[in-house]
Every structure is written in C-alpha cells, then in structure tokens.
Amino acid sequence: MQHQTETIGIRTRYDLFSRLLHWIIAVAMFYVMIVGYSLHFMPNERIFTFFSETNMSLALVLTPLMMARFLWRFFRPSVPYGEMLKGHGKGLVHLLHEVFYLLIFVVLISGFLMLEKGFQVFGVIDFPRPVDSLEVNRFFFVIHRCSCVALAGMIVLHVAAVIKHHYFEKNAILRRML
C-alpha cells in the first residue's frame, strides 16, 4: 500500500530500481571494504588469492552498477526532502552525495589501475592487467588506499546521519530508501 502523499503526486520514497541499486551496492561495498582491509592479515597465499580475486571480481561488477546508479539519478523521479532538510542543509547533503559518488568511483577505478598482474573474474574469465607500468600501478595503489580511507569515513558519516535523522529527529529520511 502506497503512502497517502504518494497517491496525490508527492513522492516519499525512491523508485524500486533506485532502492535496489542502493542496497545491492551498499552491501557489496561493505563486503569489499571489509575483505580488502582483512587481506593484510591473511598470511596463507591461497586464501589471500581467493579473497583478493573475489574482491576484484565484485568490484568489476560494482563498477557498471555504480555507473547505472549515477546515470539513473538524472532520470528517476525526484523525492523532495520536505521539512526534513532546509536551506544550507539540502546543499550540504547534495554536496556530500556528490563526494560519495566520486569517492566510490575513485576507489573502483584506482583498484583496477593499481593491479600489478591480471586475475580471473570469479575464477572463470581472465582479466588482464590494465596498465603495464609498475610506477603507475604503485601510484594508483596509494590513491586506492587513501580513497578507501576517505570512503570509509564517508560511510560512517552517512550511517551516522541516517541514525541521527531516524532515531533522534524522528523524520522519515530512512523511509525514502526502504
């Protein structure tokens, strides 16, 4: 059953495609980031390789999903904030979402450009090393590490903002993406 305001033309939730993309990407990004940081503590080479290649395979899937999500936002129906956010708050939220998108793309792209060797996508398809220069690979390794830390910070900020709005301010901002 739709919320009454949705039936009179004011949307209170994002469309199903937007919500699915959001949650699929969020869950996959959480997994990829946790495993990515955990790789540093995996001494067994076979286990390291398995999780590393699984991470890279998921990142390969995440990249077009993020492109679809980024492009879809220009075509999807808008969902106004209403009284939940006003004035500069709306501008700040828009800016932070743009930074969020940028960081995700930087993490994904730098992750591929840092590869010093190819890998098998989910153990099936060979994915070659995109850039055949150790200097360039190492440069993007640094970019990848820094952008992962920044993205982790953005995720914490994002979750904290949702908690603040939902539990403390008691507004329906979380409902927009559920």
Side-chain angles (χ1 to χ4, degrees):
M1 186 168 135
Q2 282 188 323
H3 193 268
Q4 186 175 2
T5 55
E6 285 182 291
T7 59
I8 59 172
I10 300 171
R11 292 187 158 282
T12 58
R13 292 171 63 188
Y14 286 101
D15 58 284
L16 179 61
F17 185 61
S18 295
R19 294 189 322 260
L20 283 172
L21 280 176
H22 175 272
W23 290 109
I24 289 168
I25 290 167
V27 168
M29 286 299 295
F30 271 122
Y31 174 84
V32 168
M33 289 186 75
I34 289 168
V35 170
Y37 285 113
S38 299
L39 286 172
H40 300 286
F41 306 104
M42 294 181 186
N44 183 303
E45 191 175 333
R46 283 185 46 211
I47 293 172
F48 176 90
T49 300
F50 171 79
F51 281 108
S52 178
E53 289 191 358
T54 300
N55 246 31
M56 291 183 279
S57 298
L58 284 171
L60 198 57
V61 172
L62 277 171
T63 303
L65 286 177
M66 271 307 298
M67 284 190 251
R69 182 166 186 212
F70 179 77
L71 293 173
W72 178 242
R73 71 195 190 125
F74 296 108
F75 299 99
R76 71 178 178 218
S78 66
V79 181
Y81 285 107
E83 296 298 312
M84 290 182 272
L85 290 174
K86 297 177 186 169
H88 296 300
K90 284 183 188 178
L92 180 61
V93 166
H94 287 292
L95 174 65
L96 290 174
H97 276 97
E98 297 302 316
V99 171
F100 216 155
Y101 278 106
L102 177 64
L103 281 171
I104 292 170
F105 281 120
V106 170
V107 164
L108 292 170
I109 293 166
S110 65
F112 291 112
L113 296 177
M114 73 179 209
L115 294 176
E116 294 181 11
K117 62 180 183 171
F119 69 98
Q120 283 202 317
V121 179
F122 296 112
V124 179
I125 302 167
D126 287 329
F127 187 88
R129 175 183 181 190
V131 177
D132 190 18
S133 167
L134 200 53
E135 273 184 34
V136 172
N137 301 139
R138 289 184 177 157
F139 169 77
F140 280 107
F141 177 77
V142 172
I143 298 297
H144 186 70
R145 273 219 158 143
C146 293
S147 59
C148 282
V149 169
L151 181 58
M154 282 297 294
I155 290 170
V156 168
L157 183 65
H158 184 67
V159 171
V162 169
I163 290 169
K164 173 188 168 256
H165 282 282
H166 184 76
Y167 290 106
F168 296 104
E169 294 181 4
K170 306 281 188 210
N171 63 38
I173 207 154
L174 179 59
R175 186 184 183 295
R176 296 159 53 93
M177 201 48 82
L178 294 177

